[in-house]
PDB file of all heavy atoms in Angstrom:
ATOM      1  N   THR A 231    -160.063 153.176  -5.346  1.00 98.00           N
ATOM      2  CA  THR A 231    -161.328 153.567  -4.703  1.00 98.00           C
ATOM      3  C   THR A 231    -161.165 153.685  -3.194  1.00 98.00           C
ATOM      4  O   THR A 231    -161.858 154.458  -2.543  1.00 98.00           O
ATOM      5  CB  THR A 231    -162.458 152.559  -5.025  1.00 98.00           C
ATOM      6  OG1 THR A 231    -161.998 151.246  -4.721  1.00 98.00           O
ATOM      7  CG2 THR A 231    -162.849 152.622  -6.479  1.00 98.00           C
ATOM      8  N   ARG A 232    -160.230 152.912  -2.626  1.00 97.00           N
ATOM      9  CA  ARG A 232    -160.017 152.939  -1.176  1.00 97.00           C
ATOM     10  C   ARG A 232    -159.143 154.118  -0.758  1.00 97.00           C
ATOM     11  O   ARG A 232    -159.060 154.468   0.413  1.00 97.00           O
ATOM     12  CB  ARG A 232    -159.322 151.623  -0.769  1.00 97.00           C
ATOM     13  CG  ARG A 232    -159.312 151.333   0.711  1.00 97.00           C
ATOM     14  CD  ARG A 232    -158.670 150.002   1.020  1.00 97.00           C
ATOM     15  NE  ARG A 232    -159.462 148.840   0.655  1.00 97.00           N
ATOM     16  CZ  ARG A 232    -160.604 148.487   1.222  1.00 97.00           C
ATOM     17  NH1 ARG A 232    -161.114 149.220   2.194  1.00 97.00           N
ATOM     18  NH2 ARG A 232    -161.250 147.417   0.821  1.00 97.00           N
ATOM     19  N   VAL A 239    -165.425 159.174  -6.590  1.00 98.00           N
ATOM     20  CA  VAL A 239    -165.234 158.031  -7.493  1.00 98.00           C
ATOM     21  C   VAL A 239    -166.378 157.991  -8.493  1.00 98.00           C
ATOM     22  O   VAL A 239    -167.552 158.070  -8.120  1.00 98.00           O
ATOM     23  CB  VAL A 239    -165.199 156.703  -6.703  1.00 98.00           C
ATOM     24  CG1 VAL A 239    -165.248 155.511  -7.661  1.00 98.00           C
ATOM     25  CG2 VAL A 239    -163.938 156.631  -5.843  1.00 98.00           C
ATOM     26  N   PHE A 241    -167.785 155.615 -11.679  1.00 98.00           N
ATOM     27  CA  PHE A 241    -167.595 154.235 -12.128  1.00 98.00           C
ATOM     28  C   PHE A 241    -168.622 153.878 -13.190  1.00 98.00           C
ATOM     29  O   PHE A 241    -169.806 154.201 -13.056  1.00 98.00           O
ATOM     30  CB  PHE A 241    -167.746 153.288 -10.920  1.00 98.00           C
ATOM     31  CG  PHE A 241    -167.878 151.836 -11.302  1.00 98.00           C
ATOM     32  CD1 PHE A 241    -166.790 151.124 -11.778  1.00 98.00           C
ATOM     33  CD2 PHE A 241    -169.098 151.182 -11.196  1.00 98.00           C
ATOM     34  CE1 PHE A 241    -166.906 149.789 -12.159  1.00 98.00           C
ATOM     35  CE2 PHE A 241    -169.228 149.838 -11.558  1.00 98.00           C
ATOM     36  CZ  PHE A 241    -168.127 149.147 -12.041  1.00 98.00           C
ATOM     37  N   GLU A 244    -170.390 146.805 -14.158  1.00 97.00           N
ATOM     38  CA  GLU A 244    -171.465 145.915 -13.700  1.00 97.00           C
ATOM     39  C   GLU A 244    -172.053 146.392 -12.378  1.00 97.00           C
ATOM     40  O   GLU A 244    -171.338 146.932 -11.525  1.00 97.00           O
ATOM     41  CB  GLU A 244    -170.902 144.517 -13.481  1.00 97.00           C
ATOM     42  CG  GLU A 244    -170.779 143.729 -14.751  1.00 97.00           C
ATOM     43  CD  GLU A 244    -170.401 142.288 -14.495  1.00 97.00           C
ATOM     44  OE1 GLU A 244    -170.596 141.808 -13.354  1.00 97.00           O
ATOM     45  OE2 GLU A 244    -169.884 141.657 -15.421  1.00 97.00           O
ATOM     46  N   SER A 245    -173.323 146.076 -12.189  1.00 97.00           N
ATOM     47  CA  SER A 245    -174.001 146.498 -10.964  1.00 97.00           C
ATOM     48  C   SER A 245    -173.337 145.894  -9.723  1.00 97.00           C
ATOM     49  O   SER A 245    -173.160 146.573  -8.704  1.00 97.00           O
ATOM     50  CB  SER A 245    -175.473 146.083 -11.026  1.00 97.00           C
ATOM     51  OG  SER A 245    -176.054 146.630 -12.189  1.00 97.00           O
ATOM     52  N   GLN A 246    -172.921 144.621  -9.834  1.00 97.00           N
ATOM     53  CA  GLN A 246    -172.278 143.976  -8.674  1.00 97.00           C
ATOM     54  C   GLN A 246    -170.971 144.665  -8.302  1.00 97.00           C
ATOM     55  O   GLN A 246    -170.629 144.782  -7.132  1.00 97.00           O
ATOM     56  CB  GLN A 246    -171.935 142.532  -9.022  1.00 97.00           C
ATOM     57  CG  GLN A 246    -173.051 141.570  -8.729  1.00 97.00           C
ATOM     58  CD  GLN A 246    -172.610 140.137  -9.035  1.00 97.00           C
ATOM     59  OE1 GLN A 246    -171.589 139.907  -9.669  1.00 97.00           O
ATOM     60  NE2 GLN A 246    -173.390 139.191  -8.560  1.00 97.00           N
ATOM     61  N   THR A 247    -170.231 145.102  -9.330  1.00 98.00           N
ATOM     62  CA  THR A 247    -168.976 145.810  -9.058  1.00 98.00           C
ATOM     63  C   THR A 247    -169.297 147.147  -8.396  1.00 98.00           C
ATOM     64  O   THR A 247    -168.593 147.574  -7.473  1.00 98.00           O
ATOM     65  CB  THR A 247    -168.188 146.046 -10.371  1.00 98.00           C
ATOM     66  OG1 THR A 247    -168.132 144.827 -11.083  1.00 98.00           O
ATOM     67  CG2 THR A 247    -166.790 146.545 -10.100  1.00 98.00           C
ATOM     68  N   GLY A 248    -170.369 147.779  -8.858  1.00 97.00           N
ATOM     69  CA  GLY A 248    -170.795 149.034  -8.234  1.00 97.00           C
ATOM     70  C   GLY A 248    -171.059 148.831  -6.752  1.00 97.00           C
ATOM     71  O   GLY A 248    -170.657 149.650  -5.915  1.00 97.00           O
ATOM     72  N   ALA A 249    -171.706 147.707  -6.421  1.00 97.00           N
ATOM     73  CA  ALA A 249    -172.001 147.432  -5.008  1.00 97.00           C
ATOM     74  C   ALA A 249    -170.706 147.264  -4.223  1.00 97.00           C
ATOM     75  O   ALA A 249    -170.572 147.778  -3.093  1.00 97.00           O
ATOM     76  CB  ALA A 249    -172.865 146.178  -4.904  1.00 97.00           C
ATOM     77  N   ALA A 250    -169.720 146.582  -4.812  1.00 97.00           N
ATOM     78  CA  ALA A 250    -168.434 146.369  -4.116  1.00 97.00           C
ATOM     79  C   ALA A 250    -167.723 147.712  -3.909  1.00 97.00           C
ATOM     80  O   ALA A 250    -167.178 147.988  -2.827  1.00 97.00           O
ATOM     81  CB  ALA A 250    -167.548 145.420  -4.922  1.00 97.00           C
ATOM     82  N   ILE A 251    -167.767 148.564  -4.935  1.00 98.00           N
ATOM     83  CA  ILE A 251    -167.090 149.868  -4.822  1.00 98.00           C
ATOM     84  C   ILE A 251    -167.790 150.733  -3.771  1.00 98.00           C
ATOM     85  O   ILE A 251    -167.147 151.436  -2.987  1.00 98.00           O
ATOM     86  CB  ILE A 251    -167.032 150.563  -6.197  1.00 98.00           C
ATOM     87  CG1 ILE A 251    -166.085 149.781  -7.115  1.00 98.00           C
ATOM     88  CG2 ILE A 251    -166.588 152.019  -6.075  1.00 98.00           C
ATOM     89  CD1 ILE A 251    -165.986 150.315  -8.531  1.00 98.00           C
ATOM     90  N   MET A 252    -169.108 150.640  -3.745  1.00 97.00           N
ATOM     91  CA  MET A 252    -169.872 151.438  -2.778  1.00 97.00           C
ATOM     92  C   MET A 252    -169.435 151.085  -1.348  1.00 97.00           C
ATOM     93  O   MET A 252    -169.292 151.961  -0.492  1.00 97.00           O
ATOM     94  CB  MET A 252    -171.347 151.148  -2.961  1.00 97.00           C
ATOM     95  CG  MET A 252    -172.215 152.238  -2.455  1.00 97.00           C
ATOM     96  SD  MET A 252    -173.811 152.064  -3.225  1.00 97.00           S
ATOM     97  CE  MET A 252    -174.647 153.372  -2.411  1.00 97.00           C
ATOM     98  N   LYS A 253    -169.240 149.793  -1.121  1.00 96.00           N
ATOM     99  CA  LYS A 253    -168.794 149.338   0.198  1.00 96.00           C
ATOM    100  C   LYS A 253    -167.422 149.925   0.517  1.00 96.00           C
ATOM    101  O   LYS A 253    -167.177 150.408   1.612  1.00 96.00           O
ATOM    102  CB  LYS A 253    -168.658 147.806   0.159  1.00 96.00           C
ATOM    103  CG  LYS A 253    -169.416 147.086   1.227  1.00 96.00           C
ATOM    104  CD  LYS A 253    -169.178 145.619   1.044  1.00 96.00           C
ATOM    105  CE  LYS A 253    -169.985 144.812   2.001  1.00 96.00           C
ATOM    106  NZ  LYS A 253    -169.898 143.398   1.694  1.00 96.00           N
ATOM    107  N   THR A 254    -166.542 149.892  -0.485  1.00 96.00           N
ATOM    108  CA  THR A 254    -165.175 150.370  -0.257  1.00 96.00           C
ATOM    109  C   THR A 254    -165.158 151.864   0.054  1.00 96.00           C
ATOM    110  O   THR A 254    -164.437 152.305   0.944  1.00 96.00           O
ATOM    111  CB  THR A 254    -164.311 150.116  -1.521  1.00 96.00           C
ATOM    112  OG1 THR A 254    -164.411 148.739  -1.842  1.00 96.00           O
ATOM    113  CG2 THR A 254    -162.869 150.484  -1.300  1.00 96.00           C
ATOM    114  N   VAL A 255    -165.940 152.646  -0.699  1.00 96.00           N
ATOM    115  CA  VAL A 255    -165.868 154.098  -0.506  1.00 96.00           C
ATOM    116  C   VAL A 255    -166.672 154.564   0.709  1.00 96.00           C
ATOM    117  O   VAL A 255    -166.484 155.685   1.176  1.00 96.00           O
ATOM    118  CB  VAL A 255    -166.334 154.897  -1.753  1.00 96.00           C
ATOM    119  CG1 VAL A 255    -165.500 154.555  -2.969  1.00 96.00           C
ATOM    120  CG2 VAL A 255    -167.804 154.683  -2.033  1.00 96.00           C
ATOM    121  N   ALA A 256    -167.531 153.671   1.235  1.00 94.00           N
ATOM    122  CA  ALA A 256    -168.412 154.097   2.330  1.00 94.00           C
ATOM    123  C   ALA A 256    -167.607 154.615   3.518  1.00 94.00           C
ATOM    124  O   ALA A 256    -167.985 155.616   4.137  1.00 94.00           O
ATOM    125  CB  ALA A 256    -169.313 152.942   2.761  1.00 94.00           C
ATOM    126  N   ALA A 257    -166.479 153.971   3.792  1.00 90.00           N
ATOM    127  CA  ALA A 257    -165.696 154.330   4.978  1.00 90.00           C
ATOM    128  C   ALA A 257    -165.275 155.797   4.936  1.00 90.00           C
ATOM    129  O   ALA A 257    -165.208 156.460   5.977  1.00 90.00           O
ATOM    130  CB  ALA A 257    -164.477 153.427   5.068  1.00 90.00           C
ATOM    131  N   SER A 258    -165.001 156.316   3.738  1.00 90.00           N
ATOM    132  CA  SER A 258    -164.537 157.706   3.668  1.00 90.00           C
ATOM    133  C   SER A 258    -165.602 158.644   3.085  1.00 90.00           C
ATOM    134  O   SER A 258    -165.305 159.804   2.781  1.00 90.00           O
ATOM    135  CB  SER A 258    -163.246 157.783   2.849  1.00 90.00           C
ATOM    136  OG  SER A 258    -163.425 157.109   1.635  1.00 90.00           O
ATOM    137  N   VAL A 259    -166.838 158.147   2.947  1.00 92.00           N
ATOM    138  CA  VAL A 259    -167.979 158.962   2.507  1.00 92.00           C
ATOM    139  C   VAL A 259    -167.652 159.799   1.263  1.00 92.00           C
ATOM    140  O   VAL A 259    -167.860 161.004   1.234  1.00 92.00           O
ATOM    141  CB  VAL A 259    -168.494 159.877   3.639  1.00 92.00           C
ATOM    142  CG1 VAL A 259    -169.924 160.350   3.364  1.00 92.00           C
ATOM    143  CG2 VAL A 259    -168.447 159.206   4.991  1.00 92.00           C
ATOM    144  N   LYS A 260    -167.145 159.130   0.234  1.00 94.00           N
ATOM    145  CA  LYS A 260    -166.835 159.859  -1.004  1.00 94.00           C
ATOM    146  C   LYS A 260    -168.103 159.934  -1.866  1.00 94.00           C
ATOM    147  O   LYS A 260    -168.872 158.983  -1.913  1.00 94.00           O
ATOM    148  CB  LYS A 260    -165.809 159.084  -1.833  1.00 94.00           C
ATOM    149  CG  LYS A 260    -164.450 158.915  -1.215  1.00 94.00           C
ATOM    150  CD  LYS A 260    -163.502 158.316  -2.263  1.00 94.00           C
ATOM    151  CE  LYS A 260    -162.431 157.429  -1.697  1.00 94.00           C
ATOM    152  NZ  LYS A 260    -161.618 157.972  -0.668  1.00 94.00           N
ATOM    153  N   PRO A 261    -168.274 161.048  -2.598  1.00 96.00           N
ATOM    154  CA  PRO A 261    -169.359 161.065  -3.582  1.00 96.00           C
ATOM    155  C   PRO A 261    -169.101 160.023  -4.669  1.00 96.00           C
ATOM    156  O   PRO A 261    -167.955 159.831  -5.085  1.00 96.00           O
ATOM    157  CB  PRO A 261    -169.301 162.467  -4.187  1.00 96.00           C
ATOM    158  CG  PRO A 261    -168.240 163.215  -3.473  1.00 96.00           C
ATOM    159  CD  PRO A 261    -167.495 162.283  -2.581  1.00 96.00           C
ATOM    160  N   VAL A 262    -170.172 159.354  -5.107  1.00 97.00           N
ATOM    161  CA  VAL A 262    -170.028 158.383  -6.191  1.00 97.00           C
ATOM    162  C   VAL A 262    -171.025 158.682  -7.299  1.00 97.00           C
ATOM    163  O   VAL A 262    -172.119 159.181  -7.048  1.00 97.00           O
ATOM    164  CB  VAL A 262    -170.272 156.921  -5.727  1.00 97.00           C
ATOM    165  CG1 VAL A 262    -169.152 156.435  -4.837  1.00 97.00           C
ATOM    166  CG2 VAL A 262    -171.628 156.760  -5.062  1.00 97.00           C
ATOM    167  N   SER A 263    -170.624 158.358  -8.514  1.00 98.00           N
ATOM    168  CA  SER A 263    -171.549 158.359  -9.636  1.00 98.00           C
ATOM    169  C   SER A 263    -171.407 156.995 -10.288  1.00 98.00           C
ATOM    170  O   SER A 263    -170.296 156.571 -10.612  1.00 98.00           O
ATOM    171  CB  SER A 263    -171.171 159.472 -10.617  1.00 98.00           C
ATOM    172  OG  SER A 263    -171.978 159.381 -11.759  1.00 98.00           O
ATOM    173  N   PHE A 264    -172.520 156.291 -10.453  1.00 98.00           N
ATOM    174  CA  PHE A 264    -172.469 154.919 -10.961  1.00 98.00           C
ATOM    175  C   PHE A 264    -173.316 154.780 -12.216  1.00 98.00           C
ATOM    176  O   PHE A 264    -174.526 155.038 -12.188  1.00 98.00           O
ATOM    177  CB  PHE A 264    -173.037 153.945  -9.911  1.00 98.00           C
ATOM    178  CG  PHE A 264    -172.112 153.646  -8.759  1.00 98.00           C
ATOM    179  CD1 PHE A 264    -172.588 152.955  -7.650  1.00 98.00           C
ATOM    180  CD2 PHE A 264    -170.781 154.015  -8.780  1.00 98.00           C
ATOM    181  CE1 PHE A 264    -171.746 152.655  -6.577  1.00 98.00           C
ATOM    182  CE2 PHE A 264    -169.929 153.717  -7.713  1.00 98.00           C
ATOM    183  CZ  PHE A 264    -170.418 153.039  -6.617  1.00 98.00           C
ATOM    184  N   LEU A 266    -174.374 151.732 -14.452  1.00 98.00           N
ATOM    185  CA  LEU A 266    -174.260 150.277 -14.266  1.00 98.00           C
ATOM    186  C   LEU A 266    -175.001 149.501 -15.370  1.00 98.00           C
ATOM    187  O   LEU A 266    -175.253 150.028 -16.431  1.00 98.00           O
ATOM    188  CB  LEU A 266    -174.772 149.920 -12.865  1.00 98.00           C
ATOM    189  CG  LEU A 266    -174.116 150.716 -11.714  1.00 98.00           C
ATOM    190  CD1 LEU A 266    -174.726 150.327 -10.365  1.00 98.00           C
ATOM    191  CD2 LEU A 266    -172.606 150.542 -11.681  1.00 98.00           C
ATOM    192  N   GLY A 471    -182.703 151.978 -10.117  1.00 97.00           N
ATOM    193  CA  GLY A 471    -182.558 150.620  -9.594  1.00 97.00           C
ATOM    194  C   GLY A 471    -181.113 150.149  -9.715  1.00 97.00           C
ATOM    195  O   GLY A 471    -180.163 150.907  -9.456  1.00 97.00           O
ATOM    196  N   GLY A 474    -177.913 152.178 -11.679  1.00 98.00           N
ATOM    197  CA  GLY A 474    -176.999 153.264 -11.364  1.00 98.00           C
ATOM    198  C   GLY A 474    -177.454 154.220 -10.290  1.00 98.00           C
ATOM    199  O   GLY A 474    -178.575 154.134  -9.784  1.00 98.00           O
ATOM    200  N   ILE A 475    -176.534 155.132  -9.993  1.00 98.00           N
ATOM    201  CA  ILE A 475    -176.812 156.192  -9.023  1.00 98.00           C
ATOM    202  C   ILE A 475    -176.364 157.493  -9.654  1.00 98.00           C
ATOM    203  O   ILE A 475    -175.212 157.622 -10.083  1.00 98.00           O
ATOM    204  CB  ILE A 475    -176.038 155.970  -7.709  1.00 98.00           C
ATOM    205  CG1 ILE A 475    -176.490 154.679  -7.040  1.00 98.00           C
ATOM    206  CG2 ILE A 475    -176.197 157.162  -6.773  1.00 98.00           C
ATOM    207  CD1 ILE A 475    -175.780 154.378  -5.727  1.00 98.00           C
ATOM    208  N   GLY A 476    -177.275 158.456  -9.725  1.00 97.00           N
ATOM    209  CA  GLY A 476    -176.924 159.780 -10.225  1.00 97.00           C
ATOM    210  C   GLY A 476    -177.107 159.888 -11.727  1.00 97.00           C
ATOM    211  O   GLY A 476    -177.489 158.928 -12.402  1.00 97.00           O
TER     212      GLY A 476
END
Side-chain angles (χ1 to χ4, degrees):
T231 52
R232 194 177 288 293
V239 170
F241 167 72
E244 279 188 20
S245 304
Q246 271 183 347
T247 311
I251 292 177
M252 203 160 177
K253 234 180 185 172
T254 306
V255 301
S258 50
V259 200
K260 296 189 212 306
V262 290
S263 174
F264 284 170
L266 307 178
I475 297 180

